[in-house]
Amino acid sequence: MAGVVAFERRNSVGIITVDNPPVNALGQAVRSGLDEALRQALADSAVEAIVLRCKGRTFIAGADITEFGKPPKAPMLQAVIAAYDASTKPIVAAIHGTALGGGLEVALGCNYRVAAPDAKCGLPEVKLGILPGAGGTQRLPRLVGVEKALDMIVGGDPISAKEAKSIGLVDALVEGDLLEGAIAFATSVAAKRPLPRVRDLTANIDPAKLRPGLFDDAKKDARKRSRGAVGPARCVDAVRAAVEMPFDAGLAEERRLIEEAIASVESRAMRHVFFAERKAAKIPDVSSDVPTLPVKKAAVIGAGTMGAGIAMVFANVGIPVVLVDREQSFVDKGLDIIAKNYGATMKKGRLTQAEMDTRIGRITGTTNWDDLAQVDLVIEAVFEEMGLKREIFSRLDKLCKKDAILATNTSTLDVDQIAAATSRPEQVIGLHFFSPANVMRLLEIVRGAKTSKPVVATSMKLAKDIGKVGVLVGVCQGFVGNRMLHQYYREAQFLIQEGALPSQVDRVMTGFGFAMGPCATSDLAGIDVGWRIRKAQPKPPPGERYSGAVADRLAEMGRFGQKTNAGFYRYEAGSRTPVDDAEVEKIIVQVSKELGIERRQVADEEILERCMFALINEGAKILDEKIALRASDIDTVWINGYGFPSHRGGPMFYADTVGLPRVLERVKALQEKHGKVWTPSKLLEKLAAAGRTFADFDSEQEGSS
Ligand code: CAA
């Protein structure tokens, strides 16, 4: 049994315990252990009922994802569950933590399920590009009804134990000791016959009782929301099989569908995203024994939209935060933004009045900098001006306690220069939140040349504590995300100057799966922002192309984007939906003419290639310069901060699927045609020549660290 599953008997109840840290995933050892333990329980004539429970922080959290794509090793999970299903003695699954994926499927193969009140149950496989493949799509609709099962399987979000009880997924909630409660429950049902088996239920899957068109609508809806991923629609097909086929045929159909899914690039991409996110939390030279500093109280300097959003992030997780600005009117404005944001969440039913009051109560506004003396962390979020930031940091240096972390939310400026304004650059770090800070999951953690390891370790831990995905990056203009974004936008703008229209560029990129196209995103962020920055910078020398020409013209006309109801598109008052604008087309045609560019038909393929390859080439340069630790970190940045579709795995994963020799060949061709902005990355050249991938690069780095 390899020690991961144990069997014992207490009076007449057999107890099967899974102990496979960290999350009791169903690796081969657990599967064979479960099989063997059941055999023992059935063979022991003193056992009248069985409890299946887990040690550690959670019930079984799913199949072992690391085994996917490798040759399967017996026993298969389906066979293990079939054995539990066929048990002649009642089995009670005792759920705590999270019963996810294969874990919930094991529980569905038991006769009864009891749960701790704070447990969660779910079938999140869709988020890995697959579907529940061990009977979940066949059993769940039988137990809780088709519509609820579709919600859980196609949406992938877990539900609370309370909800699970209310829909019949769980038979009882156990307050207090779960094992004792489960034993008592098992004893109470030990003699009951026939044994309830989910596979035998029919009432919920009677086609006559289902809403006509239910599956077609569900599939349409899944397609609409999946940004081109096919996994969600496949989940609908599997549930449909539960209604249209006998149980065993349904299981076979589920198997066929999951095998198709596992082999798909989409699922490989989504599994990559899952592990990439977890790998990003590991910093090779900052081991887990580096001490972290407690962050019990925080402060944010600058009560603008960004500062207000950051303050909310802390308040949301119970950390009191002081919001500081120069004038009371600025502070009040920030507090107002916060109240409005929380109010909107409450109206949507996602926050109670009491919880909103508690969170708002954790935020205090002030103009008095003396309030900063006691905080553990300060995040500066004023506008991007080096002089101002240095002045603030020099002031913080004098005011804050010795071990306080001094962080800047700069998105472009040199963190080392900011740190140099203090006497403690080792305490200074960049914490780059993405707008809106209370919504976006990404946090770029910018390590300065002198940032200490405990400050890095604390920041990485903090990211997790505040519900963000932290990615450690190095100092350079724009760090990882915005530096790449710059290249992506540049290419989108060149394509527009050459003959494409904003709607075509955006259609191609949303067709690829981006949440928004580059032009609609510029309208959302405000065209004036980049315009002001460009105005302060020297124009490119003659002979070099300038990508800002169209955006500058729009901004000069007061077309700042959504905030002025006009930008690359026009917007009806109060609406955020971009509408094509003939006026913009005229402006673009005029700008092309002034630039001496003869407009041409631009093919969709060219748009995709140039936008994507610009991202990839810059990503490779970033990797080569060690600004990012891994290619997978770059993917994590793009998926969590820029709406990159997770079913494409991120720009670097996507590059591997295209093939690096092909990417390089096109980058070189573009360099020939468009000049030095397309200078290929040395790393890209090296990897392509050696027939290696970015994934190989990551593995080799890991091996050498
Ligand atoms: N397989 C393998 N490893 C897993 C895993 C899984 N299913 N789930 C988590 N892990 C690993 C993580 O990679 C991480 O490893 P490292 O410490 O080496 O980085 C470790 O377990 C802890 O994970 P988290 O950092 O995510 O811990 P958490 O406490 O924040 O979250 C969790 C725990 C909610 C269970 C979360 O890990 C999670 O959502 N896991 C995935 C659950 C899932 O998708 N299950 C379905 C699997 S597919 C399936 O079951 C198919 C089927 O039908 C047979």
Side-chain angles (χ1 to χ4, degrees), residues 22-23 57 61 63-65 102 105 124-125 128 132-133 278 282 464:
V23 296
R57 65 201 216 213
D64 185 338
I65 305 169
E105 291 176 298
E125 285 86 344
L128 298 168
R278 281 151 183 84
K282 299 184 173 85
K464 192 158 188 191

Side-chain angles (χ1 to χ4, degrees), residues 168-471:
L169 174 54
V170 155
D171 299 287
L173 297 180
V174 176
E175 304 279 349
D177 189 285
L178 179 62
L179 179 59
E180 291 310 323
I183 291 174
F185 186 95
T187 310
S188 74
V189 297
K192 261 199 184 161
R193 293 294 183 278
L195 289 174
R197 287 200 170 92
V198 176
R199 61 175 287 156
D200 298 333
L201 302 173
T202 52
N204 280 328
I205 51 163
D206 179 355
K209 290 193 196 143
L210 295 182
R211 182 164 60 74
L214 173 67
F215 290 112
D216 292 339
D217 290 350
K219 222 163 154 172
K220 234 185 272 163
D221 190 51
R223 286 216 184 91
K224 208 163 67 196
R225 287 192 299 175
S226 67
R227 299 205 245 141
V230 300
R234 210 185 261 122
C235 289
V236 178
D237 286 339
V239 176
R240 181 178 222 149
V243 172
E244 295 178 351
M245 297 177 179
F247 184 77
D248 287 324
L251 277 188
E253 176 62 1
E254 179 191 79
R255 180 101 307 259
R256 187 188 71 74
L257 288 166
I258 194 174
E259 276 169 10
E260 183 183 286
I262 285 183
S264 67
V265 174
E266 177 178 312
S267 164
R268 265 205 299 127
M270 293 173 92
R271 279 177 271 147
H272 163 77
V273 170
F274 178 85
F275 286 114
E277 196 177 307
R278 281 151 183 84
K279 237 182 257 163
K282 299 184 173 85
I283 312 304
D285 70 328
V286 183
S287 58
S288 54
D289 52 16
V290 171
T292 55
L293 310 160
V295 179
K296 296 209 178 91
K297 191 162 187 199
V300 178
I301 315 246
T305 310
M306 188 48 113
I310 297 173
M312 289 173 73
V313 168
F314 286 92
N316 288 347
V317 296
I319 300 176
V321 56
V322 192
L323 187 60
V324 189
D325 213 318
R326 239 171 339 123
E327 287 177 28
Q328 191 57 43
S329 63
F330 297 160
V331 173
D332 291 344
K333 221 167 148 189
L335 294 175
D336 209 41
I337 294 173
I338 291 169
K340 278 206 183 100
N341 282 345
Y342 277 133
T345 313
M346 193 183 73
K347 271 201 202 108
K348 286 182 204 146
R350 295 210 301 257
L351 197 66
T352 62
Q353 173 81 46
E355 182 55 25
M356 173 171 114
D357 294 345
T358 309
R359 293 185 191 189
I360 289 180
R362 291 184 187 126
I363 304 172
T364 38
T366 183
T367 55
N368 183 2
W369 284 59
D370 292 341
D371 292 358
L372 296 171
Q374 290 315 315
V375 302
D376 305 302
L377 165 74
V378 187
I379 300 176
E380 163 277 310
V382 303
F383 54 83
E384 294 285 86
E385 197 191 296
M386 181 56 87
L388 177 63
K389 299 218 183 221
R390 282 178 56 91
E391 195 185 306
I392 288 174
F393 273 75
S394 134
R395 205 165 157 195
L396 290 175
D397 189 27
K398 292 182 190 89
L399 275 171
C400 295
K401 58 183 187 187
K402 266 266 119 346
D403 55 356
I405 297 179
L406 310 182
T408 170
N409 178 52
T410 181
S411 56
T412 47
L413 300 176
D414 185 338
V415 173
D416 290 328
Q417 265 191 55
I418 297 174
T422 73
S423 65
R424 42 171 140 169
E426 68 285 353
Q427 290 298 110
V428 178
I429 197 159
L431 293 180
H432 180 210
F433 288 81
F434 287 70
S435 192
N438 50 318
V439 178
M440 299 299 287
R441 288 185 78 217
L442 178 63
L443 181 67
E444 273 185 330
I445 298 174
V446 191
R447 182 182 196 166
K450 295 193 176 154
T451 309
S452 76
K453 289 183 182 181
V455 169
V456 171
T458 305
S459 302
M460 296 304 296
K461 177 177 178 299
L462 178 77
K464 192 158 188 191
D465 292 347
I466 59 176
K468 302 287 177 203
V469 180
V471 179

